[in-house]
Structure formats: C-alpha cells, structure tokens
Amino acid sequence: MPETTSQQAPEALTKAHRAIDERFGGTDFLRKSMKKAFPDHWSFLLGEIAMYSFVIIILTGVYLTLFFKPSMTEVVYNGSYQPLRGVKMSEAYESTLNLSFDVRGGLLMRQIHHWATNLFMAAIVIHLLRNFFTGAFRKPRELNWLLGITMFMLVMVNGLFGYSLPDDLLSGTGIRILEGVLLSLPVVGSYVTMFLFGGEFPGDLIIPRLYVIHILLIPGILLALVPLHAVVLTWRQTHTQFPGRQSTNRAQYGYPFFPVFIAKTTAYFLWVFAACALLATFFQINPIWLFGPYDPGAISSGSQPDWYMGWLEGSLRIMPAWEINLVGHTIPMNVIVPALVVPGILFTGLAVYPFVERWVTGDHQIHHLLDRPRDVPARLGIGVGGVIFYGGLWAAGGNDVIAHTFEIPLFWTTWFFRGLVIIGPVIGYAIAYRIALGLQHRDLQLISHGLETGIIRRSPTGEYTEVERPVEDRLTAAITDERPVAALPVGRPEREGVDAPESRKALGRVRGALNRHFRADLFVPPQRPNGGHGNGNGHGDGEAHGEAELTSGERRSIEP
C-alpha cells in the first residue's frame, strides 16, 4: 500500500484551536510573541535570577508544608537528634527537627529553600541597582519600578516571618525584637502587639499566624505581582537596551523569544537551581538544632539574622539610647528611628525617586534606551551614597562579631558605623561623581585619539610620541550613538536685573539649583573621527512610543 504524507494538522486539533481562538483570542499575540526580540546583555538576566529563585522557593516550600506543624503546643522531643532528647519544646520546633533528621530529603529541601530565599533577595537588590544606575525607572516604567519596590518589601518581610517559624532560640530572638519594635509605637503600640500575638509575649498564636502570612498571604500577592512586573508590563512596554549597535528608542535588537530565548532561559533556570542545590549540599545554613528551643530568658552568642535583615539589626545597634517624654508617654527614639524612620526613608526614597528626578530634570520623554552609569554622574553619586548607607547599616548588624574577631572595643565599632552612615554617603557621592567624569574623559580620549598601542616613536626632532590605533565604529557605538538627553533646562532664563518667575519662590530656586547641578556634567556623545555622528536618533526620539524589533540581527523595522 503506498505511503501518504499530509502537511495539515488533524481536523480535531484544527477545530479545537479555532474554538479556543474564537473565544479567547491570542493567536495574533502568540505569533508576535514568538518573534519578540530579547536583549542579550548579561545584566538583563539579573531579574531572571530573582524569578527563578522564586519558583524554587515555591516548589520547596510546598514540600516543607507537608511536614511542618505550625503549633506552639509544648511537647517532649524524642527524635533522632540525641542532644535534644527529653527537652521540652514547641511542636513547630519538633517538626523542624524531624524535617532535618527523619524526613528523607528534608534537610536538603530546607537548605535549598533557605539558600533560594537569600539568592532571591540578592538578585532583587542587584536588579534594583541596575535599574537605578541605568535610568530604567523612567517614563514609561514608573509603575514597574513601584511594583519592584513593593515586592522588595514583601519578600523581606516574608523572609523574616519564614525563618521565625522554627521557633528555635535564634528565630525567637527575632520575634522578640519585632515585639519590641511594635511596642515602641506611640499610643497604638500595645494594641498592635496584643492583636498580633493574641496576648502577652510570646503567647500561643504567633507561629500559626506567621505561618498563614508566610505561605498564603504574601506568596499569593507575589504570585500576582511577579507576572505583572516581569511579563505583562515588560512585554507591553518593550525591553530597555543600552546605546550602541544602532539601538534607538524605536528599534530593538536581540534574539527572538522562540527558539533562542526559550532555550537560554530554560538553561538559566537549571543553572540557578543547580547553584541553590550545590549551596544546600555543601554549605550549612540555619542549623536550628544547635540553637535549641526558644527561651525568653536566653540568647545565643553572636546572633545574626539573614543578610537582608542585617541593615535593620545594624540600625538598632548603633542608634543612641534617646527617649522623649511627652504628655505622660515615653517615646523610645532608639527603637522608633532605626526600626521605622530609617526603613521609611529608604523605601519611600526609592519609591518617589523617579518622580523627584523627573521634577528636577524636567524630563518627560519616553526612554527605551538606558544610560550608562557614567553618563549621569549625579545619579551615580546618589546611588553609590545609598549603597554605602545600606551597606554601613548591614555591617553594623555584626558589630559585636567584628569587635570580637579583630579584638577591638565594641564601642569603637559602634561609633565607626555611626559616622559611616552619616559621612560615608557624602564621601561616596563625591568619589563616584569624580570617577564618572574620569570615565567620560577616557571615552572622549578613546574617540579622539584612539587606542594606546604601547609603541613609542622618536621623530627626527627628538620628540617622543606614542602610536595610537583608531578604534572601529562598532566598538565605540555605545559612546558615539546619540540617545535622548537625561535632563533638560527648567524654567525661563533670567535676564539682567529680572529674575525668572520660577526662581522667585524658594522651591523654584531649589529646583533650579538641582537642575543645574544634574545637567552640569551629563555625557554628550562626541562625533566620530570620520565625521559621522551616532545613528541619527537624536533627542527627538524621546517621544517615540512605537517599538521596532530586530530578531537575530536579520531584519529591522521601524514603526512610525
């Protein structure tokens, strides 16, 4: 019987596809999505590390919930860990010990879960810094920036609640600090504490309540925000990209979603999972059996929280013991300032920064092209100052360990970090600003004179000169290609004897001064030695809303 071949799909599949498309649509979207261009710069993968870590956290968390008992009922331990046999403890701590020693793969899953959480937070922080330094938060991505800040706060709180669940001595100390912070709230502190704990500390309800928040409430919110932040808005707004390779506000270069990006991102997920598994296998983290059950009258030596909570611990440690007595109420500033004011300043500052920068710069353009950090020295300095402030508080969380390790007085480390978080950001701003200017001058030198070869020649007159080799245009495109300007002059220029209307008020004068400082040393793309200049994008592209994509370097289209 002769063989027959058919190029058409079975009729049943065709009808099913037609029925689904008629009701839900999506064929055109899917067809376009398969060809969507994705930038291949390594820094764009930082957000993917966070997303994959979140997937690993969810998968391992589901496994752990099968064995963990969120109960503070007192029991006597009779499990496999000999040093704690016969010790009274909560069911939460007992079930965590059983997970670690008696459940097959339990300890590995616990450690993968914990390491993935640390990696998740680290990826979020680095991804946030990349977006800040490159100006990826600008129009039209302000909402995505706010979503990222919200997820940053939620993950931090959820991490705190997660490592508080085992009810060991270390996590119990963290809960005790949380109770102290809540009690410091003026007027409402005692009511909030009673509401959360259900009575006097520690009570019997705090672990079950934290458990519900940790596995249900916050993960549910994150499951809604992560796709919105990473997929929906990103695909709707198109990806950002660095200048160079003829990239503009209207043309995007990269590899297609299918099959290139799908293959890369799958491999990347496996690498992230492998890293978490490797860390969990060979590097111990949170050995709760060494701490013992929580006892309000005891504390472990050298107690340290997970790294992402270290900055709050540090702010509590270095804050002076200030109190204010007002209308019969004692306001403990040594708790309110580090636990509420400092986080408020940090997260509020991050959230409003895109709008403050827009107000200062007068920049209302659409930005699909990123800035190199050196291109905007003022923003780079602000970011470095923030990093030093955060890092100083983080390091202060281990001031006792530092003092013990280096055999120096504890008060020395405390006063050092107090000075660091105040003076350090100012010094960091100045140094980062100067480094940015130096890098800009190096770029200009590279364009105007070329690359140093190390070859020295002597002229007949006795003059020594170094031979310099011109750099190819494709290698200097990131320097010479034009891009939307990062700041514009605000207000009308002042005439002799007549002040501009905007400068007649204090706020207007402040804005004008900040605007002049921000614009003072912005990088201006130089002309190439051959007379060409950039890619013809100009500053006018800042208002282009369209997206054009080049997939695999094969074709380029520009939407009007």
Side-chain angles (χ1 to χ4, degrees), residues 46-67:
L46 297 172
E48 291 187 34
I49 296 177
M51 183 172 65
Y52 297 146
S53 300
F54 180 61
V55 172
I56 296 170
I57 291 170
I58 294 296
L59 295 177
T60 54
V62 169
Y63 181 87
L64 296 177
T65 57
L66 301 176
F67 303 97

mmCIF file with all atom_site columns, all heavy atoms in Angstrom, residues 46-67:
data_model
loop_
_atom_site.group_PDB
_atom_site.id
_atom_site.type_symbol
_atom_site.label_atom_id
_atom_site.label_alt_id
_atom_site.label_comp_id
_atom_site.label_asym_id
_atom_site.label_entity_id
_atom_site.label_seq_id
_atom_site.pdbx_PDB_ins_code
_atom_site.Cartn_x
_atom_site.Cartn_y
_atom_site.Cartn_z
_atom_site.occupancy
_atom_site.B_iso_or_equiv
_atom_site.pdbx_formal_charge
_atom_site.auth_seq_id
_atom_site.auth_comp_id
_atom_site.auth_asym_id
_atom_site.auth_atom_id
_atom_site.pdbx_PDB_model_num
ATOM 1   N N   . LEU A 1 46 ? 19.658 39.486 35.458 1.00 0.00 ? 46 LEU A N   1
ATOM 2   C CA  . LEU A 1 46 ? 19.586 39.593 36.915 1.00 0.00 ? 46 LEU A CA  1
ATOM 3   C C   . LEU A 1 46 ? 18.153 39.423 37.412 1.00 0.00 ? 46 LEU A C   1
ATOM 4   O O   . LEU A 1 46 ? 17.900 38.785 38.432 1.00 0.00 ? 46 LEU A O   1
ATOM 5   C CB  . LEU A 1 46 ? 20.144 40.946 37.365 1.00 0.00 ? 46 LEU A CB  1
ATOM 6   C CG  . LEU A 1 46 ? 21.627 41.175 37.057 1.00 0.00 ? 46 LEU A CG  1
ATOM 7   C CD1 . LEU A 1 46 ? 22.009 42.611 37.361 1.00 0.00 ? 46 LEU A CD1 1
ATOM 8   C CD2 . LEU A 1 46 ? 22.486 40.211 37.865 1.00 0.00 ? 46 LEU A CD2 1
ATOM 9   N N   . GLY A 1 47 ? 17.196 40.002 36.697 1.00 0.00 ? 47 GLY A N   1
ATOM 10  C CA  . GLY A 1 47 ? 15.802 39.833 37.082 1.00 0.00 ? 47 GLY A CA  1
ATOM 11  C C   . GLY A 1 47 ? 15.352 38.392 36.937 1.00 0.00 ? 47 GLY A C   1
ATOM 12  O O   . GLY A 1 47 ? 14.504 37.914 37.713 1.00 0.00 ? 47 GLY A O   1
ATOM 13  N N   . GLU A 1 48 ? 15.906 37.667 35.960 1.00 0.00 ? 48 GLU A N   1
ATOM 14  C CA  . GLU A 1 48 ? 15.535 36.268 35.797 1.00 0.00 ? 48 GLU A CA  1
ATOM 15  C C   . GLU A 1 48 ? 16.034 35.420 36.956 1.00 0.00 ? 48 GLU A C   1
ATOM 16  O O   . GLU A 1 48 ? 15.372 34.450 37.345 1.00 0.00 ? 48 GLU A O   1
ATOM 17  C CB  . GLU A 1 48 ? 16.088 35.737 34.477 1.00 0.00 ? 48 GLU A CB  1
ATOM 18  C CG  . GLU A 1 48 ? 15.422 36.334 33.249 1.00 0.00 ? 48 GLU A CG  1
ATOM 19  C CD  . GLU A 1 48 ? 15.889 35.664 31.978 1.00 0.00 ? 48 GLU A CD  1
ATOM 20  O OE1 . GLU A 1 48 ? 16.149 34.453 32.008 1.00 0.00 ? 48 GLU A OE1 1
ATOM 21  O OE2 . GLU A 1 48 ? 16.000 36.357 30.951 1.00 0.00 ? 48 GLU A OE2 1
ATOM 22  N N   . ILE A 1 49 ? 17.189 35.761 37.516 1.00 0.00 ? 49 ILE A N   1
ATOM 23  C CA  . ILE A 1 49 ? 17.665 35.028 38.699 1.00 0.00 ? 49 ILE A CA  1
ATOM 24  C C   . ILE A 1 49 ? 16.633 35.131 39.815 1.00 0.00 ? 49 ILE A C   1
ATOM 25  O O   . ILE A 1 49 ? 16.328 34.141 40.490 1.00 0.00 ? 49 ILE A O   1
ATOM 26  C CB  . ILE A 1 49 ? 19.025 35.576 39.163 1.00 0.00 ? 49 ILE A CB  1
ATOM 27  C CG1 . ILE A 1 49 ? 20.082 35.351 38.088 1.00 0.00 ? 49 ILE A CG1 1
ATOM 28  C CG2 . ILE A 1 49 ? 19.455 34.910 40.463 1.00 0.00 ? 49 ILE A CG2 1
ATOM 29  C CD1 . ILE A 1 49 ? 21.439 35.930 38.448 1.00 0.00 ? 49 ILE A CD1 1
ATOM 30  N N   . ALA A 1 50 ? 16.101 36.332 40.020 1.00 0.00 ? 50 ALA A N   1
ATOM 31  C CA  . ALA A 1 50 ? 15.090 36.517 41.057 1.00 0.00 ? 50 ALA A CA  1
ATOM 32  C C   . ALA A 1 50 ? 13.839 35.689 40.751 1.00 0.00 ? 50 ALA A C   1
ATOM 33  O O   . ALA A 1 50 ? 13.279 35.041 41.645 1.00 0.00 ? 50 ALA A O   1
ATOM 34  C CB  . ALA A 1 50 ? 14.729 37.998 41.179 1.00 0.00 ? 50 ALA A CB  1
ATOM 35  N N   . MET A 1 51 ? 13.387 35.705 39.506 1.00 0.00 ? 51 MET A N   1
ATOM 36  C CA  . MET A 1 51 ? 12.172 34.971 39.154 1.00 0.00 ? 51 MET A CA  1
ATOM 37  C C   . MET A 1 51 ? 12.364 33.471 39.338 1.00 0.00 ? 51 MET A C   1
ATOM 38  O O   . MET A 1 51 ? 11.496 32.782 39.886 1.00 0.00 ? 51 MET A O   1
ATOM 39  C CB  . MET A 1 51 ? 11.786 35.278 37.711 1.00 0.00 ? 51 MET A CB  1
ATOM 40  C CG  . MET A 1 51 ? 10.490 34.614 37.268 1.00 0.00 ? 51 MET A CG  1
ATOM 41  S SD  . MET A 1 51 ? 9.937  35.187 35.647 1.00 0.00 ? 51 MET A SD  1
ATOM 42  C CE  . MET A 1 51 ? 11.276 34.555 34.621 1.00 0.00 ? 51 MET A CE  1
ATOM 43  N N   . TYR A 1 52 ? 13.511 32.945 38.921 1.00 0.00 ? 52 TYR A N   1
ATOM 44  C CA  . TYR A 1 52 ? 13.749 31.511 39.058 1.00 0.00 ? 52 TYR A CA  1
ATOM 45  C C   . TYR A 1 52 ? 13.923 31.122 40.522 1.00 0.00 ? 52 TYR A C   1
ATOM 46  O O   . TYR A 1 52 ? 13.507 30.038 40.944 1.00 0.00 ? 52 TYR A O   1
ATOM 47  C CB  . TYR A 1 52 ? 14.973 31.108 38.245 1.00 0.00 ? 52 TYR A CB  1
ATOM 48  C CG  . TYR A 1 52 ? 14.814 31.333 36.760 1.00 0.00 ? 52 TYR A CG  1
ATOM 49  C CD1 . TYR A 1 52 ? 15.891 31.702 35.972 1.00 0.00 ? 52 TYR A CD1 1
ATOM 50  C CD2 . TYR A 1 52 ? 13.574 31.191 36.150 1.00 0.00 ? 52 TYR A CD2 1
ATOM 51  C CE1 . TYR A 1 52 ? 15.738 31.918 34.617 1.00 0.00 ? 52 TYR A CE1 1
ATOM 52  C CE2 . TYR A 1 52 ? 13.415 31.413 34.804 1.00 0.00 ? 52 TYR A CE2 1
ATOM 53  C CZ  . TYR A 1 52 ? 14.502 31.774 34.036 1.00 0.00 ? 52 TYR A CZ  1
ATOM 54  O OH  . TYR A 1 52 ? 14.345 31.991 32.696 1.00 0.00 ? 52 TYR A OH  1
ATOM 55  N N   . SER A 1 53 ? 14.546 31.986 41.309 1.00 0.00 ? 53 SER A N   1
ATOM 56  C CA  . SER A 1 53 ? 14.674 31.709 42.744 1.00 0.00 ? 53 SER A CA  1
ATOM 57  C C   . SER A 1 53 ? 13.296 31.636 43.386 1.00 0.00 ? 53 SER A C   1
ATOM 58  O O   . SER A 1 53 ? 13.051 30.788 44.259 1.00 0.00 ? 53 SER A O   1
ATOM 59  C CB  . SER A 1 53 ? 15.515 32.797 43.417 1.00 0.00 ? 53 SER A CB  1
ATOM 60  O OG  . SER A 1 53 ? 16.809 32.860 42.866 1.00 0.00 ? 53 SER A OG  1
ATOM 61  N N   . PHE A 1 54 ? 12.401 32.509 42.957 1.00 0.00 ? 54 PHE A N   1
ATOM 62  C CA  . PHE A 1 54 ? 11.038 32.493 43.495 1.00 0.00 ? 54 PHE A CA  1
ATOM 63  C C   . PHE A 1 54 ? 10.341 31.180 43.157 1.00 0.00 ? 54 PHE A C   1
ATOM 64  O O   . PHE A 1 54 ? 9.636  30.606 44.001 1.00 0.00 ? 54 PHE A O   1
ATOM 65  C CB  . PHE A 1 54 ? 10.261 33.674 42.926 1.00 0.00 ? 54 PHE A CB  1
ATOM 66  C CG  . PHE A 1 54 ? 8.832  33.763 43.402 1.00 0.00 ? 54 PHE A CG  1
ATOM 67  C CD1 . PHE A 1 54 ? 8.551  33.924 44.750 1.00 0.00 ? 54 PHE A CD1 1
ATOM 68  C CD2 . PHE A 1 54 ? 7.778  33.691 42.515 1.00 0.00 ? 54 PHE A CD2 1
ATOM 69  C CE1 . PHE A 1 54 ? 7.241  34.000 45.199 1.00 0.00 ? 54 PHE A CE1 1
ATOM 70  C CE2 . PHE A 1 54 ? 6.466  33.775 42.946 1.00 0.00 ? 54 PHE A CE2 1
ATOM 71  C CZ  . PHE A 1 54 ? 6.203  33.924 44.299 1.00 0.00 ? 54 PHE A CZ  1
ATOM 72  N N   . VAL A 1 55 ? 10.530 30.684 41.950 1.00 0.00 ? 55 VAL A N   1
ATOM 73  C CA  . VAL A 1 55 ? 9.939  29.389 41.570 1.00 0.00 ? 55 VAL A CA  1
ATOM 74  C C   . VAL A 1 55 ? 10.479 28.278 42.462 1.00 0.00 ? 55 VAL A C   1
ATOM 75  O O   . VAL A 1 55 ? 9.724  27.414 42.939 1.00 0.00 ? 55 VAL A O   1
ATOM 76  C CB  . VAL A 1 55 ? 10.225 29.095 40.090 1.00 0.00 ? 55 VAL A CB  1
ATOM 77  C CG1 . VAL A 1 55 ? 9.788  27.674 39.723 1.00 0.00 ? 55 VAL A CG1 1
ATOM 78  C CG2 . VAL A 1 55 ? 9.519  30.102 39.189 1.00 0.00 ? 55 VAL A CG2 1
ATOM 79  N N   . ILE A 1 56 ? 11.784 28.301 42.712 1.00 0.00 ? 56 ILE A N   1
ATOM 80  C CA  . ILE A 1 56 ? 12.388 27.273 43.577 1.00 0.00 ? 56 ILE A CA  1
ATOM 81  C C   . ILE A 1 56 ? 11.853 27.379 44.996 1.00 0.00 ? 56 ILE A C   1
ATOM 82  O O   . ILE A 1 56 ? 11.587 26.360 45.662 1.00 0.00 ? 56 ILE A O   1
ATOM 83  C CB  . ILE A 1 56 ? 13.927 27.417 43.550 1.00 0.00 ? 56 ILE A CB  1
ATOM 84  C CG1 . ILE A 1 56 ? 14.457 27.143 42.137 1.00 0.00 ? 56 ILE A CG1 1
ATOM 85  C CG2 . ILE A 1 56 ? 14.581 26.476 44.554 1.00 0.00 ? 56 ILE A CG2 1
ATOM 86  C CD1 . ILE A 1 56 ? 15.918 27.498 41.956 1.00 0.00 ? 56 ILE A CD1 1
ATOM 87  N N   . ILE A 1 57 ? 11.680 28.595 45.480 1.00 0.00 ? 57 ILE A N   1
ATOM 88  C CA  . ILE A 1 57 ? 11.125 28.791 46.830 1.00 0.00 ? 57 ILE A CA  1
ATOM 89  C C   . ILE A 1 57 ? 9.720  28.196 46.922 1.00 0.00 ? 57 ILE A C   1
ATOM 90  O O   . ILE A 1 57 ? 9.373  27.523 47.896 1.00 0.00 ? 57 ILE A O   1
ATOM 91  C CB  . ILE A 1 57 ? 11.114 30.297 47.173 1.00 0.00 ? 57 ILE A CB  1
ATOM 92  C CG1 . ILE A 1 57 ? 12.534 30.806 47.361 1.00 0.00 ? 57 ILE A CG1 1
ATOM 93  C CG2 . ILE A 1 57 ? 10.297 30.560 48.438 1.00 0.00 ? 57 ILE A CG2 1
ATOM 94  C CD1 . ILE A 1 57 ? 12.634 32.316 47.459 1.00 0.00 ? 57 ILE A CD1 1
ATOM 95  N N   . ILE A 1 58 ? 8.898  28.440 45.917 1.00 0.00 ? 58 ILE A N   1
ATOM 96  C CA  . ILE A 1 58 ? 7.534  27.907 45.920 1.00 0.00 ? 58 ILE A CA  1
ATOM 97  C C   . ILE A 1 58 ? 7.545  26.383 45.907 1.00 0.00 ? 58 ILE A C   1
ATOM 98  O O   . ILE A 1 58 ? 6.830  25.726 46.689 1.00 0.00 ? 58 ILE A O   1
ATOM 99  C CB  . ILE A 1 58 ? 6.743  28.449 44.717 1.00 0.00 ? 58 ILE A CB  1
ATOM 100 C CG1 . ILE A 1 58 ? 6.543  29.969 44.841 1.00 0.00 ? 58 ILE A CG1 1
ATOM 101 C CG2 . ILE A 1 58 ? 5.386  27.757 44.606 1.00 0.00 ? 58 ILE A CG2 1
ATOM 102 C CD1 . ILE A 1 58 ? 5.713  30.398 46.014 1.00 0.00 ? 58 ILE A CD1 1
ATOM 103 N N   . LEU A 1 59 ? 8.362  25.783 45.058 1.00 0.00 ? 59 LEU A N   1
ATOM 104 C CA  . LEU A 1 59 ? 8.398  24.320 44.934 1.00 0.00 ? 59 LEU A CA  1
ATOM 105 C C   . LEU A 1 59 ? 8.877  23.661 46.223 1.00 0.00 ? 59 LEU A C   1
ATOM 106 O O   . LEU A 1 59 ? 8.265  22.698 46.708 1.00 0.00 ? 59 LEU A O   1
ATOM 107 C CB  . LEU A 1 59 ? 9.291  23.922 43.758 1.00 0.00 ? 59 LEU A CB  1
ATOM 108 C CG  . LEU A 1 59 ? 8.812  24.347 42.363 1.00 0.00 ? 59 LEU A CG  1
ATOM 109 C CD1 . LEU A 1 59 ? 9.832  23.956 41.299 1.00 0.00 ? 59 LEU A CD1 1
ATOM 110 C CD2 . LEU A 1 59 ? 7.457  23.726 42.046 1.00 0.00 ? 59 LEU A CD2 1
ATOM 111 N N   . THR A 1 60 ? 9.973  24.167 46.786 1.00 0.00 ? 60 THR A N   1
ATOM 112 C CA  . THR A 1 60 ? 10.480 23.575 48.027 1.00 0.00 ? 60 THR A CA  1
ATOM 113 C C   . THR A 1 60 ? 9.569  23.892 49.196 1.00 0.00 ? 60 THR A C   1
ATOM 114 O O   . THR A 1 60 ? 9.422  23.079 50.119 1.00 0.00 ? 60 THR A O   1
ATOM 115 C CB  . THR A 1 60 ? 11.897 24.090 48.315 1.00 0.00 ? 60 THR A CB  1
ATOM 116 O OG1 . THR A 1 60 ? 11.892 25.534 48.311 1.00 0.00 ? 60 THR A OG1 1
ATOM 117 C CG2 . THR A 1 60 ? 12.867 23.600 47.254 1.00 0.00 ? 60 THR A CG2 1
ATOM 118 N N   . GLY A 1 61 ? 8.925  25.075 49.171 1.00 0.00 ? 61 GLY A N   1
ATOM 119 C CA  . GLY A 1 61 ? 8.007  25.432 50.256 1.00 0.00 ? 61 GLY A CA  1
ATOM 120 C C   . GLY A 1 61 ? 6.810  24.514 50.312 1.00 0.00 ? 61 GLY A C   1
ATOM 121 O O   . GLY A 1 61 ? 6.341  24.162 51.410 1.00 0.00 ? 61 GLY A O   1
ATOM 122 N N   . VAL A 1 62 ? 6.303  24.102 49.151 1.00 0.00 ? 62 VAL A N   1
ATOM 123 C CA  . VAL A 1 62 ? 5.182  23.152 49.126 1.00 0.00 ? 62 VAL A CA  1
ATOM 124 C C   . VAL A 1 62 ? 5.587  21.846 49.798 1.00 0.00 ? 62 VAL A C   1
ATOM 125 O O   . VAL A 1 62 ? 4.821  21.252 50.574 1.00 0.00 ? 62 VAL A O   1
ATOM 126 C CB  . VAL A 1 62 ? 4.722  22.909 47.678 1.00 0.00 ? 62 VAL A CB  1
ATOM 127 C CG1 . VAL A 1 62 ? 3.741  21.737 47.607 1.00 0.00 ? 62 VAL A CG1 1
ATOM 128 C CG2 . VAL A 1 62 ? 4.078  24.162 47.101 1.00 0.00 ? 62 VAL A CG2 1
ATOM 129 N N   . TYR A 1 63 ? 6.805  21.380 49.531 1.00 0.00 ? 63 TYR A N   1
ATOM 130 C CA  . TYR A 1 63 ? 7.289  20.143 50.153 1.00 0.00 ? 63 TYR A CA  1
ATOM 131 C C   . TYR A 1 63 ? 7.389  20.301 51.672 1.00 0.00 ? 63 TYR A C   1
ATOM 132 O O   . TYR A 1 63 ? 6.964  19.408 52.430 1.00 0.00 ? 63 TYR A O   1
ATOM 133 C CB  . TYR A 1 63 ? 8.660  19.788 49.567 1.00 0.00 ? 63 TYR A CB  1
ATOM 134 C CG  . TYR A 1 63 ? 9.254  18.512 50.109 1.00 0.00 ? 63 TYR A CG  1
ATOM 135 C CD1 . TYR A 1 63 ? 8.957  17.284 49.534 1.00 0.00 ? 63 TYR A CD1 1
ATOM 136 C CD2 . TYR A 1 63 ? 10.121 18.532 51.204 1.00 0.00 ? 63 TYR A CD2 1
ATOM 137 C CE1 . TYR A 1 63 ? 9.511  16.108 50.031 1.00 0.00 ? 63 TYR A CE1 1
ATOM 138 C CE2 . TYR A 1 63 ? 10.676 17.373 51.708 1.00 0.00 ? 63 TYR A CE2 1
ATOM 139 C CZ  . TYR A 1 63 ? 10.370 16.161 51.120 1.00 0.00 ? 63 TYR A CZ  1
ATOM 140 O OH  . TYR A 1 63 ? 10.909 14.991 51.616 1.00 0.00 ? 63 TYR A OH  1
ATOM 141 N N   . LEU A 1 64 ? 7.907  21.429 52.130 1.00 0.00 ? 64 LEU A N   1
ATOM 142 C CA  . LEU A 1 64 ? 8.098  21.625 53.566 1.00 0.00 ? 64 LEU A CA  1
ATOM 143 C C   . LEU A 1 64 ? 6.771  21.726 54.309 1.00 0.00 ? 64 LEU A C   1
ATOM 144 O O   . LEU A 1 64 ? 6.672  21.286 55.470 1.00 0.00 ? 64 LEU A O   1
ATOM 145 C CB  . LEU A 1 64 ? 8.928  22.892 53.810 1.00 0.00 ? 64 LEU A CB  1
ATOM 146 C CG  . LEU A 1 64 ? 10.364 22.874 53.274 1.00 0.00 ? 64 LEU A CG  1
ATOM 147 C CD1 . LEU A 1 64 ? 11.040 24.223 53.522 1.00 0.00 ? 64 LEU A CD1 1
ATOM 148 C CD2 . LEU A 1 64 ? 11.167 21.752 53.912 1.00 0.00 ? 64 LEU A CD2 1
ATOM 149 N N   . THR A 1 65 ? 5.744  22.281 53.676 1.00 0.00 ? 65 THR A N   1
ATOM 150 C CA  . THR A 1 65 ? 4.455  22.406 54.356 1.00 0.00 ? 65 THR A CA  1
ATOM 151 C C   . THR A 1 65 ? 3.816  21.058 54.655 1.00 0.00 ? 65 THR A C   1
ATOM 152 O O   . THR A 1 65 ? 2.950  20.963 55.543 1.00 0.00 ? 65 THR A O   1
ATOM 153 C CB  . THR A 1 65 ? 3.468  23.234 53.507 1.00 0.00 ? 65 THR A CB  1
ATOM 154 O OG1 . THR A 1 65 ? 3.313  22.623 52.219 1.00 0.00 ? 65 THR A OG1 1
ATOM 155 C CG2 . THR A 1 65 ? 3.944  24.656 53.345 1.00 0.00 ? 65 THR A CG2 1
ATOM 156 N N   . LEU A 1 66 ? 4.235  20.019 53.951 1.00 0.00 ? 66 LEU A N   1
ATOM 157 C CA  . LEU A 1 66 ? 3.667  18.687 54.188 1.00 0.00 ? 66 LEU A CA  1
ATOM 158 C C   . LEU A 1 66 ? 4.099  18.111 55.532 1.00 0.00 ? 66 LEU A C   1
ATOM 159 O O   . LEU A 1 66 ? 3.446  17.200 56.055 1.00 0.00 ? 66 LEU A O   1
ATOM 160 C CB  . LEU A 1 66 ? 4.077  17.731 53.059 1.00 0.00 ? 66 LEU A CB  1
ATOM 161 C CG  . LEU A 1 66 ? 3.660  18.133 51.638 1.00 0.00 ? 66 LEU A CG  1
ATOM 162 C CD1 . LEU A 1 66 ? 4.215  17.142 50.619 1.00 0.00 ? 66 LEU A CD1 1
ATOM 163 C CD2 . LEU A 1 66 ? 2.143  18.221 51.533 1.00 0.00 ? 66 LEU A CD2 1
ATOM 164 N N   . PHE A 1 67 ? 5.189  18.634 56.090 1.00 0.00 ? 67 PHE A N   1
ATOM 165 C CA  . PHE A 1 67 ? 5.745  18.038 57.310 1.00 0.00 ? 67 PHE A CA  1
ATOM 166 C C   . PHE A 1 67 ? 5.818  19.015 58.487 1.00 0.00 ? 67 PHE A C   1
ATOM 167 O O   . PHE A 1 67 ? 5.957  18.579 59.636 1.00 0.00 ? 67 PHE A O   1
ATOM 168 C CB  . PHE A 1 67 ? 7.159  17.498 57.031 1.00 0.00 ? 67 PHE A CB  1
ATOM 169 C CG  . PHE A 1 67 ? 7.208  16.496 55.914 1.00 0.00 ? 67 PHE A CG  1
ATOM 170 C CD1 . PHE A 1 67 ? 7.557  16.888 54.637 1.00 0.00 ? 67 PHE A CD1 1
ATOM 171 C CD2 . PHE A 1 67 ? 6.900  15.161 56.137 1.00 0.00 ? 67 PHE A CD2 1
ATOM 172 C CE1 . PHE A 1 67 ? 7.608  15.973 53.598 1.00 0.00 ? 67 PHE A CE1 1
ATOM 173 C CE2 . PHE A 1 67 ? 6.940  14.239 55.105 1.00 0.00 ? 67 PHE A CE2 1
ATOM 174 C CZ  . PHE A 1 67 ? 7.296  14.645 53.823 1.00 0.00 ? 67 PHE A CZ  1
#
